[in-house]
Amino acid sequence: MSGDVWFAVLPDGASGVAAAQLLRPSATETITHASGRPWLLGSWPAGHVTVGAAGARRVAVIGRCPVTADALSARAGRLRDIGDVERIARGLPGSFHLLASVDGSVRARGSASGVRRLFHARLGDVTVAADRSDRLAAATGATPDDRLLAAHLLASPLPYPLDDRCVWQGVRALPSFDCLLLDADGRARTRRWWTPPEPELGWRRGAPAVRAALIAAVGSCTAGGGTVSADLSGGMDSTSLCFLAAGEQDRQPFAGARLVTLRWESRDPENDDASWAARATEHLPGAEHITPTHDQWPLWYSDVASLADATLPTDEPGPWVRDGARMAALARLMTGRGSRLHLMGGGADELFTALPPHLHDYVRRRPLAAYARIRTQRASQHWPLGQLLRQLADHRTFGRWLTAWADGLTAAPPAPAAVVRGAPSTAWGVDLRMPPWATPDAVLAVRSLLHEAAEGAEPLAPERGQHAALACVRTGGRGLRQLDQVTSAHGLRYAGPYLDDAVIEAALAVRVAERSAPGRYKPVLAEAVRGIVPDDILRRRTKGEYSTDFHTALRHHRGALVEFFDGSRLARAGLIDDAAVRASLLGVHPTPEALRSFSSSLGSEIWLRSRPAGIRTPSTTITEGAP
């Protein structure tokens, strides 16, 4: 199925029936409560929604999950009340929304990673939820929120704690760790449904659970047979998924899917991804391997103007537009070979490496072991000792760090040389900077959002290492959600098994410091897939680098990108200085980091231009603390 895939959730009452009339004209599918009133409206392909029923109880799984209607009905039969849903759903693999309708009450939630999100808004006197914010915006006549558009200039997807905000005024995003409860009158409240695991396991003890979760996650992709495709870059993350998917053909000979792999070649002859991918293909003789030529595989930033001339498939801005032409080529190549689902390796870096903030915790938990690790890494990476000690001595709370981040949004970023040779930040997060083309109004808007968040936001975990991993997982989940919306519009679903909730839970249960080790690359993942991925593949210690591809793309498309910002909608809204954008594009950039924010700004510009004519571009002046 091509085009928008979406659903809305309605309460089991008369007010829900009235709200359904506003959504029904664009819906092709309807599922009812036991009362006969509409429960789910939307458009989705066959097999995307599975409903189990037992008496007046209904449970729905929407997304990637191999559960059958009969099996889900058996689980529904064990449902005691609306608060019992997580218990009866325990063990379901995949990535999905989970909904229930019991005795006039409705419960709905997405996934912890944010790959599956929910939004809600008031339609008349009733709260209605949907998995796409633009569907609710269209029903309510909402316009984009200028402060949130400004935040998308900082980073897109939005970083925590702004990532649970919605870009549409009057439409609220359900926090990823919360579920939504609707009563029969359409009143809404939220409740926490997911809590991150405590990182208590050693890496050897944690690896078996990771292995089981990964096998189940990939199995949920290949269940039902047919053909699936997967990236095969040569890195450990995507390569492991390919061997897991190929192994499913052996474990499920009648249900496992045929595998097609995709590898695109870097423009950098020193990038060794190609040689490792070639080595992997030798061990996968049963798969079809596709390596597009440079003529078949567009450069980054290709055809961005054409994206602005069409309605984008995403419900919020995103940096994926840099890869828009590539995503279209991917869908064309893979659907041409029969693929119904494409697997990517995003999320593994966040789960299976110890991010730098963990050092701040490690020196306090195990100072001798931390000293040995820091000494080894300093020797190999030349970290300045004084800078590192200042980082480790930082005692700021999460709220104080947020306030400092907000106040430093326009501080000068580190010079490119410092980015390479400086000590890594061990703060709660990355002190992102507003791009040089952001207007004072845009900076003020983002500063006010961060100041508001600092008043009540809590970290995602008590310690910095686990918090950083969770924050990065959420960013990856939101990015994957957008890519799925893009490729689904071309008839190809997109999956990131590492971002399935069960995989996240298993990986994050491992002690943060043990997710990395000197001399061992991603030890937890390597141990989890040992015996599935050949040992010679697991011995890789390098990672591909793609700055050459960035510079080639920028050099080729610089003129078109400069011209694209003539008549900018973001400039008209008072959020960017379009002359400053053009000056940055025409400047010299030794590293891609110098234009880090450009793809986010480009995504916001294209998103605004692609909105239907009835959507007003925000143009109000932003003031401190504006609602």
Side-chain angles (χ1 to χ4, degrees):
M1 176 180 178
S2 299
D4 282 355
V5 175
W6 66 279
F7 68 87
V9 186
L10 300 160
D12 190 7
S15 57
V17 176
Q21 301 309 311
L22 297 173
L23 298 165
R24 198 181 297 277
S26 56
T28 60
E29 307 288 341
T30 303
I31 295 172
T32 62
H33 295 283
S35 65
R37 300 184 185 100
W39 177 28
L40 304 176
L41 290 176
S43 295
W44 55 77
H48 188 61
V49 178
T50 303
V51 177
R57 291 160 290 184
R58 300 285 187 273
V59 177
V61 168
I62 303 179
R64 172 170 49 83
C65 181
V67 68
T68 64
D70 286 345
L72 197 57
S73 295
R75 289 174 180 259
R78 300 195 296 270
L79 189 63
R80 294 188 292 260
D81 55 46
I82 200 70
D84 197 33
V85 178
E86 295 303 325
R87 181 186 65 83
I88 65 103
R90 192 172 298 133
L92 289 177
S95 174
F96 50 85
H97 291 87
L98 180 64
L99 301 91
S101 171
V102 181
D103 299 328
S105 296
V106 172
R107 183 185 187 274
R109 56 94 164 162
S111 62
S113 66
V115 174
R116 311 290 174 176
R117 298 188 71 188
L118 276 177
F119 304 85
H120 55 101
R122 298 288 292 181
L123 268 62
D125 296 326
V126 61
T127 295
V128 173
D131 69 324
R132 289 187 61 105
S133 58
D134 54 355
R135 288 290 172 176
L136 295 176
T140 60
T143 57
D145 185 317
D146 41 18
R147 290 205 300 165
L148 269 297
L149 281 175
H152 276 276
L153 302 178
L154 176 69
S156 189
L158 296 176
Y160 182 81
L162 303 182
D163 56 351
D164 280 330
R165 302 288 292 264
C166 180
V167 75
W168 296 100
Q169 296 186 60
V171 180
R172 301 183 66 180
L174 181 69
S176 298
F177 299 171
D178 288 357
C179 64
L180 184 71
L181 299 169
L182 301 175
D183 66 18
D185 294 325
R187 291 185 294 263
R189 56 193 175 93
T190 62
R191 179 180 297 166
R192 187 76 171 250
W193 76 270
W194 191 80
T195 301
E198 290 295 325
E200 298 174 335
L201 300 178
W203 69 275
R204 289 190 184 277
R205 285 188 58 206
V210 172
R211 181 187 184 94
L214 279 173
I215 289 173
V218 174
S220 73
C221 297
T222 60
T227 298
V228 299
S229 52
D231 291 336
L232 179 55
S233 69
M236 182 185 290
D237 309 338
S238 64
T239 302
S240 296
L241 294 182
C242 289
F243 279 97
L244 284 161
E248 284 301 306
Q249 293 177 304
D250 299 327
R251 286 187 288 270
Q252 303 182 70
F254 301 107
R258 185 177 78 93
L259 177 64
V260 178
T261 72
L262 175 75
R263 175 178 66 84
W264 61 273
E265 291 193 351
S266 170
R267 305 273 172 154
D268 183 359
E270 300 300 317
N271 189 320
D272 65 346
D273 272 355
S275 62
W276 285 95
R279 186 178 301 188
T281 61
E282 294 175 1
H283 293 282
L284 294 167
E288 180 182 2
H289 303 289
I290 306 300
T291 304
T293 65
H294 288 319
D295 290 339
Q296 294 175 306
W297 197 246
L299 294 171
W300 287 325
Y301 301 120
S302 295
D303 300 330
V304 294
S306 64
L307 291 174
D309 294 334
T311 299
L312 290 192
T314 59
D315 57 350
E316 59 185 2
W320 66 267
V321 296
R322 182 197 72 175
D323 303 281
R326 288 188 170 190
M327 300 309 292
L330 164 74
R332 184 169 58 253
L333 287 168
M334 297 299 99
T335 57
R337 286 160 175 81
S339 179
R340 55 178 173 79
L341 179 74
H342 190 80
L343 282 65
M344 55 87 80
D349 285 341
E350 296 85 339
L351 292 174
F352 300 114
T353 57
L355 301 174
H358 92 280
L359 292 173
H360 189 275
D361 314 317
Y362 203 28
V363 296
R364 288 158 176 79
R365 280 184 171 268
R366 299 188 60 196
L368 293 179
Y371 171 73
R373 173 168 296 186
I374 290 170
R375 182 178 59 184
T376 300
Q377 292 186 276
R378 273 198 69 228
S380 63
Q381 300 179 42
H382 309 291
W383 294 342
L385 179 60
Q387 184 185 20
L388 178 61
L389 291 176
R390 286 191 296 273
Q391 294 273 8
L392 295 174
D394 175 31
H395 289 286
R396 289 177 297 177
T397 64
F398 180 67
R400 287 177 57 200
W401 171 76
L402 272 180
T403 299
W405 177 20
D407 293 340
L409 284 174
T410 56
V419 172
V420 175
R421 300 185 189 130
S425 171
T426 63
W428 286 99
V430 180
D431 295 331
L432 299 172
R433 302 288 190 260
M434 291 294 283
W437 50 84
T439 63
D441 274 353
V443 173
L444 185 61
V446 179
R447 182 170 290 137
S448 69
L449 286 170
L450 289 173
H451 277 155
E452 290 170 14
E455 294 175 4
E458 295 290 336
L460 295 168
E463 295 191 336
R464 297 185 183 189
Q466 186 82 326
H467 165 84
L470 281 160
C472 290
V473 162
R474 288 161 61 106
T475 298
R478 283 151 176 75
L480 173 59
R481 174 179 179 268
Q482 289 199 338
L483 294 177
D484 182 36
Q485 290 178 344
V486 173
T487 60
S488 291
H490 296 283
L492 180 69
R493 304 309 303 267
Y494 212 66
Y498 291 115
L499 292 170
D500 285 10
D501 287 349
V503 178
I504 293 170
E505 289 185 357
L508 293 184
V510 175
R511 296 186 197 110
V512 181
E514 296 190 30
R515 296 172 199 166
S516 293
R520 295 201 306 271
Y521 183 64
K522 296 182 179 176
V524 180
L525 178 58
E527 186 66 21
V529 298
R530 194 171 303 283
I532 298 173
V533 180
D535 286 345
D536 63 317
I537 302 295
L538 295 177
R539 281 195 286 270
R540 184 180 183 185
R541 297 291 182 267
T542 59
K543 189 174 180 65
E545 200 272 334
Y546 290 87
S547 59
T548 297
D549 299 87
F550 165 79
H551 287 298
T552 301
L554 183 61
R555 184 169 59 249
H556 191 83
H557 293 298
R558 193 191 306 265
L561 292 171
V562 168
E563 182 180 347
F564 183 76
F565 276 87
D566 289 337
S568 163
R569 293 281 293 274
L570 287 171
R572 196 184 311 167
L575 298 177
I576 68 166
D577 177 346
D578 51 353
V581 176
R582 290 190 286 271
S584 292
L585 285 169
L586 293 170
V588 177
H589 304 289
T591 69
E593 180 66 21
L595 276 178
R596 177 195 59 78
S597 296
F598 177 69
S599 292
S600 295
S601 298
L602 180 65
S604 295
E605 177 68 32
I606 291 175
W607 187 81
L608 273 180
R609 292 192 193 189
S610 74
R611 292 298 93 195
I615 297 293
R616 177 181 61 83
T617 299
S619 57
T620 55
T621 300
I622 301 167
T623 58
E624 180 77 44

